[in-house]
Amino acid sequence: MHTLPQQLANGLFLGSTYGLIAIGYTMVYGIVQLINFAHGEIFMTGGFGALTVYLVLPHGTSLWLALPLMLIGGAATSVLIALGAERFAYRPLRTAPRLAPLIAAIGLSLALQQAVHNLYPKATSPRVFPQIPSGPWHLANIDIQSGDLFTLIAAPICMVVLALFVRKSRTGRAMQATAQDPDTAQLMGIDTNRIIATAFAIGAVFAAVAAICYGLRYGQVSYDMGFEAGLKAFTAAVLGGIGNIYGAMLGGLVLGLAEALATAYISDIPGMQQLGGQAWAPVWAFVLLILVLLLRPQGLLGERVADRA
Amino acid sequence: MSTALLEVTDLRVAYGKIEAVKGISFTVNQGEVTTLIGTNGAGKTTTLRTLSGLLKPTAGTILFDGQALNTVPAHKIVALGLAHSPEGRHIFPRMTIEENLLLGAFLRKDAPGITEDVERAYALFPILGERRKQAAGTLSGGEQQMLAMGRALMSRPKLLMLDEPSMGLSPIMMQKIMATIVELKANGTTILLVEQNAQAALSLSDQGYVMQTGQIVLTGTGAELLTDESVRKSYLGED
Amino acid sequence: MRHRSLLVLSIALTGALTVTACGSRGGSKSGGDSASGTTVTIGVDAPLSGQNSATGLGIQYGVQIAVDDANKNKTVPGVTFKVKPLDDQAQPATGQQNATSLVADSSVLGVVGPLNSGVAQSMQQVFETANLVEISPSNTNPALTQGPNWASGTKVRGYKTYFRTATTDALQGAYAAQYATGTAKKKNAFVVDDKQTYGAGLAGIFKDSFTKDGGTIAGTDHVSTGDKDFSTLVTKIKSSGADMLYYGGQYDEASLLSKQLKAAGDAIPLMGGDGIFSATYVSVGGAGTEGDLSTSVGSPVDGLATAQDFIAKYKAAKYPGDYGTYGGYSYDAATAIIKAVASVAAANGGKIPSDARAKIVDGVQKADFDGIAGHVSFDEFGDTTNKQLTVYQVTGGKWVSVKTGAFTG
Ligand SMILES: Nc1ncnc2c1ncn2[C@@H]1O[C@H](COP(=O)(O)OP(=O)(O)O)[C@@H](O)[C@H]1O
Ligand SMILES: [Mg+2]
């Protein structure tokens, strides 16, 4: 058990990335009750946007200098694609039957994957992402790797800024109003189309931050990285209570921790050797999801649907 | 003498192929209370939602304060001075009473004026003042109705539209709401009132319109309609 | 409104499908179909996109060069060969579909591929039924030729149409263990595999041989293909005190695992089979892979005098992918098919007979020639008789061969 602090840290780093992506699912769902299944690919394009910025910078630029620019480039790419998707795929379908936007989302997700696969240079296999050339740092019993350092700084900042934005800003209040009652929000003078677009954009920025965390952590980005990450993040959003931004972050962390602990310790339980280890981690994560949803169908922090007046 | 604040001419509204409002015309005069009565499904709510831009008319004109509203998007209409307290209240349940009121003033930039108006709403409905930090979803139906009216007033509207403010309320609560309407009128607010409770509504109205299956079938002053035989029969439950 | 919704939807979907279609059509440069004469197609099945595609493309273009050479040298008079590459995306189900479509194309008289043992299992029966010869340049799972009970000594050949130019894991895993305990002096190995036919088989053989050679196993675990995050596993390996990590699987996961292991400050080498022997392993894994080891079948193609012409052609044509691992074996596999076509045609007065497929299977079984990657002939199970193996190590960012030999047991 002496590895426990390290394993918890592993779970938190992993979970932070899930949480950042989950914000995008949850914000859009909270406002338009749409599951944007293309969000995983918006995350992926953010990674490629950031990589592109790095590649066009002069060779040998310090990564600490490049990172802010990569962040801007990645976020710009993600936001552009998310806004395009919202404007041209989802908005025209907003009054259509529920299945239509869902199918559009899946089509868009495939199209984005294939577009990057075929059009981005050498993207048919994973592209190498720059690495912070230092670390690991030792903190008590825990090793923090350079890639995780970015996550460690970025994720909490993002969360705090978002919480303040939603609670304190005018747009944030408009966002809450739109989520609770879009028609009445319009009666207050809120341009709900703008608010919906803003939700997509914020989700995209968070996805781009997550994509950089991912790139730094694994040293690569790939055209298909959005599929699994998106699925995990969606799970996190549901686990935390879809529609609730704190739920998304909490769901991400719980999922990351569950995976880490399942990988690390389940095989130590007598009679469970066969059901532990890395390969079984996603299974345990889904077992957890099912358990939570059985006990709390609305997710950890979700409001019951009945609360929606 | 009385000037028209709102003039609706030959308005038609449809849900898909089904026409719910079939060419109605009516006027709301400055400083008056105008009432639309009619049975369930007559098209009253549809009319109000069209006036505030949530629905688009298929034909006709809406002239408000000299400006055509037909193509103005919903979120820009409140800025022109038209506020709408919707049927079923539609307060924001997970926000506090105060946050709800402040959303009513979403487009206003005059912070001191907003604070003043919040206090005025609390003066009008003291119970809201006592619970200002409470989530609006926890209020009783009557209290929610007060909040919805207070919120609509927060935009300092030229015309206040109230859709069935007494629906589902206890008689005492209903009296309180009706008294408030009288008070608002006395303060010079122009009101377009939709009610099922015809007796109460007509007795405080200057002008009344009776709607039936998407059309206006009868017009008159509140007093005239109250004494009209067919109105008494159909809407006041007398034989 | 409705029309507009449908329009948007169909644009999105068609867009997706079109781009997909563009992607799957690999650049097959067919060597000039002459109007006269017969065209014989050699099918290729390998992952040409996504995971492991670098290696898959090496197979495709290895075959392409063999076909180009045969056409240029007119190896079979009156016959023009062409290549039909199909992408299996490393998926058994896709591989099976590809096998069915190759069988249905009557011009296909032989197939080179697939890359993955798991995919091969799903294809074998399809080819067997159609009497179509299949030569894998890379499948190393012993069960593919020797049946499921090969380990207990009961070797039964399941499919007479299946051959391979790569030697098996039974030798690779044992050769790796020999090197690890003998040359590298490792005593305590952590063993991880990806649960796939190839990876799990290889890891199992390594584990047995390593213990037999006097080593101990510090721990075992499994990963799933496509996994990216190994932080938890890395912590486990680190705390186990292992002095090496053996990984049964492909380079995609292995390079990330090695990278994350070294990033966490555990400097033990990762050793794997030919599945990780790829330039991509080093480029994606970065500096962390320095010192890592792999075994591969045969002798290093770069060092073979017989392969220099092939390498030059590959580079001159600027083909994508990695010829280093299986390019030479793919060339030899295609050549075995071409030679069988030649002898079948020769025996039939220069024409391709109607039962050519069955005769070509017999022809391949009798293959006996010097290929560019070594001698080519097959034993009674369809396995290559060439038992050369090589250990490679990442040195200065490149795989460098450190030991070559024939495994003797
Ligand atoms: N969203 C809607 N979709 C389709 N039909 C509707 C919708 N809302 C109302 N209607 C129909 O339009 C007609 C008028 O309804 P409404 O305006 O709500 O009447 P009222 O407010 O007078 O009771 C009714 O026949 C009602 O069934
Ligand atoms: Mg109504």
Side-chain angles (χ1 to χ4, degrees), chain C residues 257-271:
Chain C
L257 178 55
S258 173
K259 177 198 197 81
Q260 291 175 33
L261 187 68
K262 311 301 162 49
D266 199 352
I268 63 173
L270 181 151
M271 185 172 201

Side-chain angles (χ1 to χ4, degrees), chain C residues 43 56 85 110 129-130 135 153 160 189 203 215 239 247 302 312 319 322 330 344 349-350:
Chain C
T129 311
I135 309 180
K160 66 178 185 311
S239 71
Y247 181 79
D302 279 303
Y319 286 137
D322 232 337
S330 306
V344 167

Side-chain angles (χ1 to χ4, degrees), chain A residues 7 10 92 143 217-218 278-279, chain C residues 1 19 222 229 232 235 238:
Chain A
Q7 296 294 25
N10 292 338
D143 283 348
R217 194 171 158 87
Y218 306 127
Q278 168 95 20
Chain C
M1 193 69 210
V19 194
H222 313 277
D229 191 279
T232 327
T235 305
K238 238 180 112 175

Side-chain angles (χ1 to χ4, degrees), chain C residues 36-56:
Chain C
S36 66
T38 322
T39 301
V40 168
T41 306
I42 297 184
V44 170
D45 175 276
L48 306 177
S49 68
Q51 309 259 318
N52 306 319
S53 62
T55 314

